Amino acid sequence: MLRVHPELEAQLVATPDDDGAWLVYEDWLIEQGDPRSELIICERTETADAGRALATLEPLLFGPEHKAFRAALANPMWRRAGFIEACRFESTRPGAREPLVAFLSSPAATLVTRLNLQNADAAMIGELHRARALRWLCVGTTRTLDTFDSASLDGLDHLDELRVSSIGKLAAAPALARLRVLYIGGHGDAELDQLASLGLARLERLELSLGIGELHGRGTTRGFPALCHLHVNVLAGGGERAVAAVIASGIVAQLRRLTVSGPTARALSDVERRRFRGGVLAHLEEVHLPNGMLVKQ
């Protein structure tokens, strides 16, 4: 039977890279005669037996319902002492939330900090609050969602990077105020004004993939007080309109890096940045724009 120490585990949720906290926790497991003791000793001595010890422990680490989700779990990256650090979870049955619940409730998933969740629907997204240690989350949905329920992330106190695709927009929620990096992939228009209303106070990097949509925005600076890197991915022909929207929003003045990517995007030289639209981009450290935009200046 695996031993549980809520206080030490809570410390690792808060500081998963703290070697000192790990040593204290592992020593406690060894003292308690936890089944993971052999694995811990093998990892500390860097012996080849660690892989064998881990394989032996899998039924305990994944729990009695491990067969329900093993087909969906891919590329697990193990941290130490039988805890997964990162993995991909791809639902094999759209709409079935039970396999994800079983995985996130298993001992092995207690300290997952990076999760790539694919073929997700609203019900599965609603279970993400179980992954308390998450720092990085990527969600791909089974179909386009008009609105992503950001409130499902409110229990993730350490989440600072969110990547979501096939959505129309994000709903406001306290969890968004903690984000440092946000990627949104959709097929329609993106509204900088709407994003600015979400309270993204810590956001440093924003990436938008628009597909056939367009970018709109005006007077959005106050909504992104920390933003310094903006990346907009558009199809051929949409780059000029995207750049116009960024400039109209007023946010370009606070940026350090701007990328409007497309089939022919390239980096602008210092001279080109000073020349482009009267030097509105001259202060930026790095600018990538679709090739050919400068011809019209």
mmCIF file of all heavy atoms in Angstrom, residues 140-189:
data_model
loop_
_atom_site.group_PDB
_atom_site.id
_atom_site.type_symbol
_atom_site.label_atom_id
_atom_site.label_comp_id
_atom_site.label_asym_id
_atom_site.label_seq_id
_atom_site.Cartn_x
_atom_site.Cartn_y
_atom_site.Cartn_z
ATOM 1 N N GLY A 140 -6.841 20.347 -26.740
ATOM 2 C CA GLY A 140 -7.416 20.276 -28.078
ATOM 3 C C GLY A 140 -8.788 19.648 -27.982
ATOM 4 O O GLY A 140 -8.955 18.591 -27.367
ATOM 5 N N THR A 141 -9.789 20.285 -28.533
ATOM 6 C CA THR A 141 -11.167 19.826 -28.357
ATOM 7 C C THR A 141 -11.625 18.950 -29.519
ATOM 8 O O THR A 141 -11.065 18.991 -30.616
ATOM 9 C CB THR A 141 -12.128 21.020 -28.216
ATOM 10 O OG1 THR A 141 -12.023 21.846 -29.382
ATOM 11 C CG2 THR A 141 -11.764 21.841 -26.984
ATOM 12 N N THR A 142 -12.654 18.146 -29.266
ATOM 13 C CA THR A 142 -13.196 17.254 -30.292
ATOM 14 C C THR A 142 -13.916 18.030 -31.379
ATOM 15 O O THR A 142 -13.992 17.606 -32.520
ATOM 16 C CB THR A 142 -14.172 16.247 -29.664
ATOM 17 O OG1 THR A 142 -15.164 16.963 -28.926
ATOM 18 C CG2 THR A 142 -13.431 15.308 -28.726
ATOM 19 N N ARG A 143 -14.458 19.165 -31.027
ATOM 20 C CA ARG A 143 -15.131 20.044 -31.988
ATOM 21 C C ARG A 143 -14.965 21.473 -31.503
ATOM 22 O O ARG A 143 -14.606 21.729 -30.356
ATOM 23 C CB ARG A 143 -16.617 19.690 -32.111
ATOM 24 C CG ARG A 143 -17.378 19.811 -30.802
ATOM 25 C CD ARG A 143 -18.839 19.445 -30.946
ATOM 26 N NE ARG A 143 -19.558 19.519 -29.696
ATOM 27 C CZ ARG A 143 -20.027 20.637 -29.152
ATOM 28 N NH1 ARG A 143 -19.842 21.797 -29.777
ATOM 29 N NH2 ARG A 143 -20.672 20.618 -27.998
ATOM 30 N N THR A 144 -15.222 22.413 -32.382
ATOM 31 C CA THR A 144 -15.054 23.815 -32.014
ATOM 32 C C THR A 144 -16.043 24.205 -30.913
ATOM 33 O O THR A 144 -17.248 23.969 -31.029
ATOM 34 C CB THR A 144 -15.270 24.727 -33.234
ATOM 35 O OG1 THR A 144 -14.307 24.400 -34.230
ATOM 36 C CG2 THR A 144 -15.109 26.186 -32.844
ATOM 37 N N LEU A 145 -15.494 24.777 -29.837
ATOM 38 C CA LEU A 145 -16.327 25.268 -28.743
ATOM 39 C C LEU A 145 -16.523 26.770 -28.904
ATOM 40 O O LEU A 145 -15.550 27.503 -29.107
ATOM 41 C CB LEU A 145 -15.656 24.992 -27.396
ATOM 42 C CG LEU A 145 -15.429 23.534 -27.002
ATOM 43 C CD1 LEU A 145 -14.692 23.467 -25.670
ATOM 44 C CD2 LEU A 145 -16.754 22.791 -26.912
ATOM 45 N N ASP A 146 -17.759 27.225 -28.825
ATOM 46 C CA ASP A 146 -18.006 28.665 -28.918
ATOM 47 C C ASP A 146 -17.295 29.402 -27.788
ATOM 48 O O ASP A 146 -16.730 30.473 -27.984
ATOM 49 C CB ASP A 146 -19.509 28.955 -28.869
ATOM 50 C CG ASP A 146 -20.237 28.452 -30.110
ATOM 51 O OD1 ASP A 146 -19.584 28.348 -31.167
ATOM 52 O OD2 ASP A 146 -21.436 28.155 -30.022
ATOM 53 N N THR A 147 -17.315 28.803 -26.586
ATOM 54 C CA THR A 147 -16.689 29.418 -25.422
ATOM 55 C C THR A 147 -15.975 28.357 -24.600
ATOM 56 O O THR A 147 -16.534 27.298 -24.325
ATOM 57 C CB THR A 147 -17.732 30.121 -24.531
ATOM 58 O OG1 THR A 147 -18.433 31.101 -25.309
ATOM 59 C CG2 THR A 147 -17.063 30.816 -23.354
ATOM 60 N N PHE A 148 -14.730 28.645 -24.225
ATOM 61 C CA PHE A 148 -13.972 27.767 -23.347
ATOM 62 C C PHE A 148 -14.265 28.158 -21.909
ATOM 63 O O PHE A 148 -14.106 29.322 -21.518
ATOM 64 C CB PHE A 148 -12.475 27.906 -23.637
ATOM 65 C CG PHE A 148 -11.598 27.010 -22.803
ATOM 66 C CD1 PHE A 148 -11.306 25.732 -23.215
ATOM 67 C CD2 PHE A 148 -11.072 27.459 -21.594
ATOM 68 C CE1 PHE A 148 -10.494 24.895 -22.458
ATOM 69 C CE2 PHE A 148 -10.266 26.641 -20.826
ATOM 70 C CZ PHE A 148 -9.974 25.355 -21.256
ATOM 71 N N ASP A 149 -14.694 27.180 -21.095
ATOM 72 C CA ASP A 149 -15.069 27.447 -19.706
ATOM 73 C C ASP A 149 -13.806 27.594 -18.845
ATOM 74 O O ASP A 149 -13.318 26.630 -18.272
ATOM 75 C CB ASP A 149 -15.946 26.319 -19.177
ATOM 76 C CG ASP A 149 -16.402 26.570 -17.744
ATOM 77 O OD1 ASP A 149 -16.241 27.713 -17.261
ATOM 78 O OD2 ASP A 149 -16.905 25.626 -17.110
ATOM 79 N N SER A 150 -13.297 28.799 -18.740
ATOM 80 C CA SER A 150 -12.067 29.054 -17.979
ATOM 81 C C SER A 150 -12.244 28.786 -16.496
ATOM 82 O O SER A 150 -11.264 28.555 -15.778
ATOM 83 C CB SER A 150 -11.618 30.495 -18.190
ATOM 84 O OG SER A 150 -11.519 30.797 -19.560
ATOM 85 N N ALA A 151 -13.485 28.802 -16.004
ATOM 86 C CA ALA A 151 -13.724 28.549 -14.586
ATOM 87 C C ALA A 151 -13.290 27.150 -14.188
ATOM 88 O O ALA A 151 -13.019 26.890 -13.006
ATOM 89 C CB ALA A 151 -15.199 28.758 -14.250
ATOM 90 N N SER A 152 -13.201 26.233 -15.142
ATOM 91 C CA SER A 152 -12.754 24.875 -14.839
ATOM 92 C C SER A 152 -11.290 24.842 -14.413
ATOM 93 O O SER A 152 -10.822 23.843 -13.876
ATOM 94 C CB SER A 152 -12.942 23.975 -16.065
ATOM 95 O OG SER A 152 -12.166 24.442 -17.164
ATOM 96 N N LEU A 153 -10.579 25.938 -14.615
ATOM 97 C CA LEU A 153 -9.161 26.018 -14.271
ATOM 98 C C LEU A 153 -8.920 26.716 -12.931
ATOM 99 O O LEU A 153 -7.773 26.859 -12.512
ATOM 100 C CB LEU A 153 -8.389 26.775 -15.363
ATOM 101 C CG LEU A 153 -8.620 26.324 -16.808
ATOM 102 C CD1 LEU A 153 -7.836 27.212 -17.761
ATOM 103 C CD2 LEU A 153 -8.247 24.866 -16.990
ATOM 104 N N ASP A 154 -9.972 27.136 -12.268
ATOM 105 C CA ASP A 154 -9.800 27.955 -11.062
ATOM 106 C C ASP A 154 -9.097 27.221 -9.926
ATOM 107 O O ASP A 154 -8.514 27.848 -9.052
ATOM 108 C CB ASP A 154 -11.155 28.482 -10.587
ATOM 109 C CG ASP A 154 -11.631 29.674 -11.411
ATOM 110 O OD1 ASP A 154 -10.810 30.216 -12.177
ATOM 111 O OD2 ASP A 154 -12.806 30.049 -11.302
ATOM 112 N N GLY A 155 -9.126 25.896 -9.903
ATOM 113 C CA GLY A 155 -8.423 25.163 -8.856
ATOM 114 C C GLY A 155 -6.948 24.968 -9.139
ATOM 115 O O GLY A 155 -6.214 24.438 -8.303
ATOM 116 N N LEU A 156 -6.493 25.411 -10.309
ATOM 117 C CA LEU A 156 -5.099 25.220 -10.708
ATOM 118 C C LEU A 156 -4.299 26.469 -10.341
ATOM 119 O O LEU A 156 -4.017 27.333 -11.171
ATOM 120 C CB LEU A 156 -5.021 24.935 -12.214
ATOM 121 C CG LEU A 156 -5.902 23.780 -12.699
ATOM 122 C CD1 LEU A 156 -5.745 23.580 -14.199
ATOM 123 C CD2 LEU A 156 -5.598 22.495 -11.941
ATOM 124 N N ASP A 157 -3.898 26.540 -9.094
ATOM 125 C CA ASP A 157 -3.280 27.752 -8.567
ATOM 126 C C ASP A 157 -1.905 28.046 -9.143
ATOM 127 O O ASP A 157 -1.407 29.172 -9.009
ATOM 128 C CB ASP A 157 -3.161 27.643 -7.038
ATOM 129 C CG ASP A 157 -4.515 27.612 -6.360
ATOM 130 O OD1 ASP A 157 -5.492 28.082 -6.976
ATOM 131 O OD2 ASP A 157 -4.602 27.117 -5.226
ATOM 132 N N HIS A 158 -1.272 27.047 -9.785
ATOM 133 C CA HIS A 158 0.083 27.238 -10.292
ATOM 134 C C HIS A 158 0.143 27.312 -11.812
ATOM 135 O O HIS A 158 1.233 27.474 -12.370
ATOM 136 C CB HIS A 158 0.984 26.102 -9.795
ATOM 137 C CG HIS A 158 0.955 25.933 -8.316
ATOM 138 N ND1 HIS A 158 1.598 26.797 -7.453
ATOM 139 C CD2 HIS A 158 0.329 25.018 -7.525
ATOM 140 C CE1 HIS A 158 1.388 26.413 -6.208
ATOM 141 N NE2 HIS A 158 0.627 25.352 -6.229
ATOM 142 N N LEU A 159 -0.985 27.215 -12.487
ATOM 143 C CA LEU A 159 -1.005 27.237 -13.946
ATOM 144 C C LEU A 159 -0.580 28.611 -14.458
ATOM 145 O O LEU A 159 -1.169 29.627 -14.100
ATOM 146 C CB LEU A 159 -2.415 26.909 -14.453
ATOM 147 C CG LEU A 159 -2.556 26.779 -15.971
ATOM 148 C CD1 LEU A 159 -1.836 25.528 -16.466
ATOM 149 C CD2 LEU A 159 -4.028 26.742 -16.367
ATOM 150 N N ASP A 160 0.464 28.634 -15.323
ATOM 151 C CA ASP A 160 0.866 29.917 -15.888
ATOM 152 C C ASP A 160 0.995 29.901 -17.409
ATOM 153 O O ASP A 160 1.299 30.924 -18.011
ATOM 154 C CB ASP A 160 2.164 30.435 -15.241
ATOM 155 C CG ASP A 160 3.386 29.619 -15.615
ATOM 156 O OD1 ASP A 160 3.246 28.620 -16.364
ATOM 157 O OD2 ASP A 160 4.477 29.973 -15.157
ATOM 158 N N GLU A 161 0.750 28.739 -18.049
ATOM 159 C CA GLU A 161 0.741 28.689 -19.515
ATOM 160 C C GLU A 161 -0.431 27.837 -19.976
ATOM 161 O O GLU A 161 -0.567 26.679 -19.582
ATOM 162 C CB GLU A 161 2.049 28.137 -20.066
ATOM 163 C CG GLU A 161 2.079 28.107 -21.584
ATOM 164 C CD GLU A 161 3.452 27.896 -22.181
ATOM 165 O OE1 GLU A 161 4.448 28.007 -21.427
ATOM 166 O OE2 GLU A 161 3.542 27.620 -23.395
ATOM 167 N N LEU A 162 -1.278 28.424 -20.824
ATOM 168 C CA LEU A 162 -2.469 27.753 -21.327
ATOM 169 C C LEU A 162 -2.484 27.838 -22.845
ATOM 170 O O LEU A 162 -2.307 28.906 -23.433
ATOM 171 C CB LEU A 162 -3.729 28.418 -20.765
ATOM 172 C CG LEU A 162 -5.074 27.914 -21.323
ATOM 173 C CD1 LEU A 162 -5.295 26.452 -20.958
ATOM 174 C CD2 LEU A 162 -6.225 28.787 -20.816
ATOM 175 N N ARG A 163 -2.717 26.679 -23.481
ATOM 176 C CA ARG A 163 -2.809 26.598 -24.933
ATOM 177 C C ARG A 163 -4.108 25.863 -25.266
ATOM 178 O O ARG A 163 -4.272 24.707 -24.892
ATOM 179 C CB ARG A 163 -1.598 25.866 -25.515
ATOM 180 C CG ARG A 163 -0.268 26.482 -25.109
ATOM 181 C CD ARG A 163 0.917 25.715 -25.668
ATOM 182 N NE ARG A 163 1.003 25.823 -27.103
ATOM 183 C CZ ARG A 163 1.615 26.827 -27.736
ATOM 184 N NH1 ARG A 163 2.186 27.803 -27.040
ATOM 185 N NH2 ARG A 163 1.646 26.864 -29.062
ATOM 186 N N VAL A 164 -5.015 26.545 -25.942
ATOM 187 C CA VAL A 164 -6.293 25.938 -26.300
ATOM 188 C C VAL A 164 -6.549 26.150 -27.782
ATOM 189 O O VAL A 164 -6.240 27.201 -28.339
ATOM 190 C CB VAL A 164 -7.460 26.522 -25.467
ATOM 191 C CG1 VAL A 164 -7.362 26.089 -24.027
ATOM 192 C CG2 VAL A 164 -7.500 28.045 -25.567
ATOM 193 N N SER A 165 -7.116 25.132 -28.422
ATOM 194 C CA SER A 165 -7.400 25.242 -29.851
ATOM 195 C C SER A 165 -8.852 24.901 -30.126
ATOM 196 O O SER A 165 -9.533 24.286 -29.303
ATOM 197 C CB SER A 165 -6.482 24.306 -30.657
ATOM 198 O OG SER A 165 -6.647 22.963 -30.247
ATOM 199 N N SER A 166 -9.318 25.331 -31.297
ATOM 200 C CA SER A 166 -10.695 25.086 -31.742
ATOM 201 C C SER A 166 -11.712 25.693 -30.790
ATOM 202 O O SER A 166 -12.674 25.038 -30.376
ATOM 203 C CB SER A 166 -10.957 23.582 -31.914
ATOM 204 O OG SER A 166 -10.107 23.040 -32.890
ATOM 205 N N ILE A 167 -11.495 26.938 -30.430
ATOM 206 C CA ILE A 167 -12.476 27.639 -29.586
ATOM 207 C C ILE A 167 -12.809 28.991 -30.206
ATOM 208 O O ILE A 167 -12.036 29.535 -31.008
ATOM 209 C CB ILE A 167 -11.966 27.852 -28.150
ATOM 210 C CG1 ILE A 167 -10.793 28.848 -28.125
ATOM 211 C CG2 ILE A 167 -11.580 26.540 -27.512
ATOM 212 C CD1 ILE A 167 -10.486 29.366 -26.755
ATOM 213 N N GLY A 168 -13.958 29.511 -29.815
ATOM 214 C CA GLY A 168 -14.351 30.832 -30.271
ATOM 215 C C GLY A 168 -13.769 31.918 -29.386
ATOM 216 O O GLY A 168 -13.134 32.850 -29.852
ATOM 217 N N LYS A 169 -13.973 31.774 -28.069
ATOM 218 C CA LYS A 169 -13.446 32.761 -27.134
ATOM 219 C C LYS A 169 -13.298 32.136 -25.760
ATOM 220 O O LYS A 169 -13.825 31.047 -25.486
ATOM 221 C CB LYS A 169 -14.357 33.984 -27.067
ATOM 222 C CG LYS A 169 -15.755 33.694 -26.531
ATOM 223 C CD LYS A 169 -16.589 34.970 -26.489
ATOM 224 C CE LYS A 169 -17.984 34.680 -25.931
ATOM 225 N NZ LYS A 169 -18.804 35.914 -25.854
ATOM 226 N N LEU A 170 -12.592 32.845 -24.893
ATOM 227 C CA LEU A 170 -12.437 32.424 -23.504
ATOM 228 C C LEU A 170 -13.473 33.133 -22.646
ATOM 229 O O LEU A 170 -13.758 34.313 -22.861
ATOM 230 C CB LEU A 170 -11.046 32.790 -22.984
ATOM 231 C CG LEU A 170 -9.838 32.040 -23.516
ATOM 232 C CD1 LEU A 170 -8.566 32.648 -22.949
ATOM 233 C CD2 LEU A 170 -9.914 30.572 -23.173
ATOM 234 N N ALA A 171 -14.002 32.408 -21.667
ATOM 235 C CA ALA A 171 -14.871 33.039 -20.675
ATOM 236 C C ALA A 171 -14.005 33.576 -19.546
ATOM 237 O O ALA A 171 -12.958 33.011 -19.222
ATOM 238 C CB ALA A 171 -15.867 32.026 -20.130
ATOM 239 N N ALA A 172 -14.405 34.674 -18.944
ATOM 240 C CA ALA A 172 -13.650 35.268 -17.842
ATOM 241 C C ALA A 172 -13.661 34.347 -16.630
ATOM 242 O O ALA A 172 -14.659 33.681 -16.351
ATOM 243 C CB ALA A 172 -14.238 36.635 -17.477
ATOM 244 N N ALA A 173 -12.534 34.294 -15.920
ATOM 245 C CA ALA A 173 -12.422 33.494 -14.702
ATOM 246 C C ALA A 173 -11.160 33.927 -13.965
ATOM 247 O O ALA A 173 -10.190 34.373 -14.585
ATOM 248 C CB ALA A 173 -12.366 32.003 -15.020
ATOM 249 N N PRO A 174 -11.134 33.795 -12.627
ATOM 250 C CA PRO A 174 -9.959 34.206 -11.851
ATOM 251 C C PRO A 174 -8.663 33.524 -12.289
ATOM 252 O O PRO A 174 -7.585 34.111 -12.182
ATOM 253 C CB PRO A 174 -10.345 33.803 -10.423
ATOM 254 C CG PRO A 174 -11.838 33.872 -10.398
ATOM 255 C CD PRO A 174 -12.259 33.409 -11.754
ATOM 256 N N ALA A 175 -8.737 32.286 -12.783
ATOM 257 C CA ALA A 175 -7.532 31.557 -13.170
ATOM 258 C C ALA A 175 -6.740 32.282 -14.251
ATOM 259 O O ALA A 175 -5.506 32.169 -14.317
ATOM 260 C CB ALA A 175 -7.893 30.153 -13.644
ATOM 261 N N LEU A 176 -7.418 33.035 -15.103
ATOM 262 C CA LEU A 176 -6.731 33.704 -16.207
ATOM 263 C C LEU A 176 -5.777 34.787 -15.711
ATOM 264 O O LEU A 176 -4.803 35.117 -16.399
ATOM 265 C CB LEU A 176 -7.757 34.306 -17.169
ATOM 266 C CG LEU A 176 -8.721 33.309 -17.829
ATOM 267 C CD1 LEU A 176 -9.657 34.036 -18.781
ATOM 268 C CD2 LEU A 176 -7.956 32.218 -18.557
ATOM 269 N N ALA A 177 -6.043 35.326 -14.541
ATOM 270 C CA ALA A 177 -5.181 36.385 -14.004
ATOM 271 C C ALA A 177 -3.792 35.870 -13.655
ATOM 272 O O ALA A 177 -2.865 36.669 -13.483
ATOM 273 C CB ALA A 177 -5.831 37.009 -12.770
ATOM 274 N N ARG A 178 -3.621 34.556 -13.548
ATOM 275 C CA ARG A 178 -2.320 33.981 -13.199
ATOM 276 C C ARG A 178 -1.486 33.613 -14.422
ATOM 277 O O ARG A 178 -0.311 33.265 -14.287
ATOM 278 C CB ARG A 178 -2.525 32.739 -12.319
ATOM 279 C CG ARG A 178 -3.182 33.034 -10.987
ATOM 280 C CD ARG A 178 -3.178 31.818 -10.082
ATOM 281 N NE ARG A 178 -4.125 30.793 -10.497
ATOM 282 C CZ ARG A 178 -5.397 30.744 -10.091
ATOM 283 N NH1 ARG A 178 -5.864 31.677 -9.280
ATOM 284 N NH2 ARG A 178 -6.198 29.776 -10.497
ATOM 285 N N LEU A 179 -2.081 33.656 -15.607
ATOM 286 C CA LEU A 179 -1.376 33.201 -16.799
ATOM 287 C C LEU A 179 -0.246 34.139 -17.199
ATOM 288 O O LEU A 179 -0.374 35.363 -17.152
ATOM 289 C CB LEU A 179 -2.349 33.069 -17.970
ATOM 290 C CG LEU A 179 -3.436 32.001 -17.848
ATOM 291 C CD1 LEU A 179 -4.304 31.994 -19.093
ATOM 292 C CD2 LEU A 179 -2.823 30.623 -17.614
ATOM 293 N N ARG A 180 0.851 33.528 -17.618
ATOM 294 C CA ARG A 180 1.983 34.266 -18.170
ATOM 295 C C ARG A 180 2.061 34.110 -19.680
ATOM 296 O O ARG A 180 2.518 35.008 -20.383
ATOM 297 C CB ARG A 180 3.282 33.768 -17.516
ATOM 298 C CG ARG A 180 4.538 34.517 -17.904
ATOM 299 C CD ARG A 180 5.749 33.935 -17.185
ATOM 300 N NE ARG A 180 5.814 32.487 -17.361
ATOM 301 C CZ ARG A 180 6.332 31.878 -18.435
ATOM 302 N NH1 ARG A 180 6.811 32.603 -19.430
ATOM 303 N NH2 ARG A 180 6.364 30.563 -18.515
ATOM 304 N N VAL A 181 1.589 32.953 -20.187
ATOM 305 C CA VAL A 181 1.580 32.670 -21.624
ATOM 306 C C VAL A 181 0.204 32.128 -21.996
ATOM 307 O O VAL A 181 -0.347 31.268 -21.308
ATOM 308 C CB VAL A 181 2.658 31.622 -22.003
ATOM 309 C CG1 VAL A 181 2.613 31.328 -23.509
ATOM 310 C CG2 VAL A 181 4.044 32.110 -21.608
ATOM 311 N N LEU A 182 -0.349 32.645 -23.104
ATOM 312 C CA LEU A 182 -1.651 32.191 -23.578
ATOM 313 C C LEU A 182 -1.612 32.019 -25.088
ATOM 314 O O LEU A 182 -1.197 32.918 -25.818
ATOM 315 C CB LEU A 182 -2.741 33.198 -23.203
ATOM 316 C CG LEU A 182 -4.152 32.944 -23.768
ATOM 317 C CD1 LEU A 182 -4.713 31.625 -23.263
ATOM 318 C CD2 LEU A 182 -5.084 34.109 -23.429
ATOM 319 N N TYR A 183 -2.030 30.822 -25.545
ATOM 320 C CA TYR A 183 -2.166 30.543 -26.973
ATOM 321 C C TYR A 183 -3.615 30.186 -27.242
ATOM 322 O O TYR A 183 -4.206 29.341 -26.550
ATOM 323 C CB TYR A 183 -1.261 29.381 -27.401
ATOM 324 C CG TYR A 183 -1.584 28.839 -28.779
ATOM 325 C CD1 TYR A 183 -0.971 29.361 -29.910
ATOM 326 C CD2 TYR A 183 -2.524 27.821 -28.946
ATOM 327 C CE1 TYR A 183 -1.280 28.869 -31.182
ATOM 328 C CE2 TYR A 183 -2.842 27.334 -30.200
ATOM 329 C CZ TYR A 183 -2.216 27.863 -31.318
ATOM 330 O OH TYR A 183 -2.530 27.386 -32.566
ATOM 331 N N ILE A 184 -4.218 30.815 -28.251
ATOM 332 C CA ILE A 184 -5.582 30.507 -28.653
ATOM 333 C C ILE A 184 -5.587 30.197 -30.135
ATOM 334 O O ILE A 184 -5.149 31.010 -30.955
ATOM 335 C CB ILE A 184 -6.542 31.681 -28.371
ATOM 336 C CG1 ILE A 184 -6.557 32.021 -26.886
ATOM 337 C CG2 ILE A 184 -7.949 31.341 -28.840
ATOM 338 C CD1 ILE A 184 -7.392 33.240 -26.557
ATOM 339 N N GLY A 185 -6.083 29.032 -30.478
ATOM 340 C CA GLY A 185 -6.215 28.649 -31.880
ATOM 341 C C GLY A 185 -7.679 28.513 -32.239
ATOM 342 O O GLY A 185 -8.429 27.799 -31.573
ATOM 343 N N GLY A 186 -8.100 29.222 -33.251
ATOM 344 C CA GLY A 186 -9.495 29.159 -33.679
ATOM 345 C C GLY A 186 -9.585 29.298 -35.180
ATOM 346 O O GLY A 186 -8.574 29.311 -35.888
ATOM 347 N N HIS A 187 -10.791 29.395 -35.676
ATOM 348 C CA HIS A 187 -10.988 29.510 -37.122
ATOM 349 C C HIS A 187 -11.712 30.801 -37.485
ATOM 350 O O HIS A 187 -11.874 31.100 -38.668
ATOM 351 C CB HIS A 187 -11.792 28.307 -37.640
ATOM 352 C CG HIS A 187 -11.149 26.991 -37.343
ATOM 353 N ND1 HIS A 187 -10.000 26.577 -37.975
ATOM 354 C CD2 HIS A 187 -11.480 26.007 -36.467
ATOM 355 C CE1 HIS A 187 -9.652 25.380 -37.516
ATOM 356 N NE2 HIS A 187 -10.527 25.021 -36.594
ATOM 357 N N GLY A 188 -12.128 31.556 -36.476
ATOM 358 C CA GLY A 188 -12.846 32.786 -36.739
ATOM 359 C C GLY A 188 -12.048 34.006 -36.317
ATOM 360 O O GLY A 188 -10.836 33.940 -36.094
ATOM 361 N N ASP A 189 -12.728 35.136 -36.195
ATOM 362 C CA ASP A 189 -12.078 36.381 -35.818
ATOM 363 C C ASP A 189 -11.622 36.335 -34.354
ATOM 364 O O ASP A 189 -12.189 35.616 -33.533
ATOM 365 C CB ASP A 189 -13.039 37.563 -36.003
ATOM 366 C CG ASP A 189 -13.355 37.820 -37.473
ATOM 367 O OD1 ASP A 189 -12.763 37.136 -38.328
ATOM 368 O OD2 ASP A 189 -14.207 38.683 -37.746
#
